[in-house]
Amino acid sequence: MRPGFPAGSLLAALLGGEAPVEARRAARRLRAEGAPALAADAEIVALADGLAGTGVAHSPAVLDALPPLFWIEAPEEMAGAEMAGAEMAGTEVAGAAPLRGWVVEKRGDGLAARGFSLAVGAEALPEPAGDTALAFGGHPVPEAAAARALRGLAAAVALPEMLAQMGESSPVLLLPAEAPAEDALLLRGLRLSVALARDSAPG
């Protein structure tokens, strides 16, 4: 049985009728180009925060392991605040924590991302959160919170491919996911996946 994509996701909000035109256009591009859409769970959020400042996260191998275009979202708390007590493994309470996500694409020797955010609350609407560019191949340097957050997540979801090439198992699993019933129409046609810690993945 496939794990569930989080209910109340930022991606679903981007595709809703009340979302800004820019947000809907960005999300529809993912569907049109068959790009994967990933949601990170709470354990991956913690792992990503630890990876962000390491040499691994700045390696060109991360870029090589990622698809040319993809979506990734996670709780806002990945930037370092305390978790709000709700996990993203498919059974969480929708809207329990602010969400941050990016449409990410490869450009040259780096990544270019358009960010979006969703505040807590049933009436909240997605908002643009600025553009972020990541370079790879240099030494780790201090980065803005959004860049650090994205770099950590990108490194985390690249680990399975990077470690597989070395014949090693990854602490991160990327699993195809089912859309939640309440968002199934909005998310139709998207390649949904969740990033889970190996130890907490469904058997």
Side-chain angles (χ1 to χ4, degrees):
M1 182 177 177
R2 289 184 175 186
F5 198 78
S9 66
L10 174 51
L11 182 57
L14 293 182
L15 289 161
E18 300 299 319
V21 173
E22 175 190 0
R24 292 201 305 272
R25 185 181 297 121
R28 287 170 179 168
R29 182 186 172 203
L30 297 167
R31 180 186 287 132
E33 299 192 24
L38 281 158
D41 85 335
E43 291 181 81
I44 302 305
V45 161
L47 175 64
D49 191 52
L51 278 174
T54 68
V56 170
H58 288 74
S59 169
V62 171
L63 194 62
D64 293 340
L66 295 172
L69 175 70
F70 64 98
W71 167 262
I72 189 160
E73 69 175 76
E76 185 85 30
E77 283 75 8
M78 67 176 297
E82 284 187 17
M83 292 302 297
E87 297 188 353
M88 293 186 63
T91 58
E92 72 291 342
V93 177
L99 299 174
R100 179 188 296 179
W102 296 265
V103 176
V104 188
E105 62 181 314
K106 292 182 180 179
R107 285 189 186 168
D109 295 328
L111 295 175
R114 175 156 294 182
F116 298 91
S117 64
L118 184 67
V120 173
E123 303 302 317
L125 295 176
E127 297 181 354
D131 295 339
T132 300
L134 298 182
F136 292 84
H139 295 291
V141 295
E143 293 180 301
R148 177 183 170 85
L150 177 57
R151 185 180 296 279
L153 273 180
V157 301
L159 281 179
E161 176 65 20
M162 292 169 63
L163 292 176
Q165 293 180 7
M166 296 186 287
E168 299 181 15
S169 62
S170 170
V172 177
L173 295 179
L174 305 181
L175 302 175
E178 296 286 348
E182 58 266 48
D183 297 328
L185 187 59
L186 291 171
L187 299 175
R188 183 178 57 192
L190 288 162
R191 292 171 54 198
L192 303 177
S193 298
V194 289
L196 304 174
R198 179 177 293 276
D199 293 343
S200 64

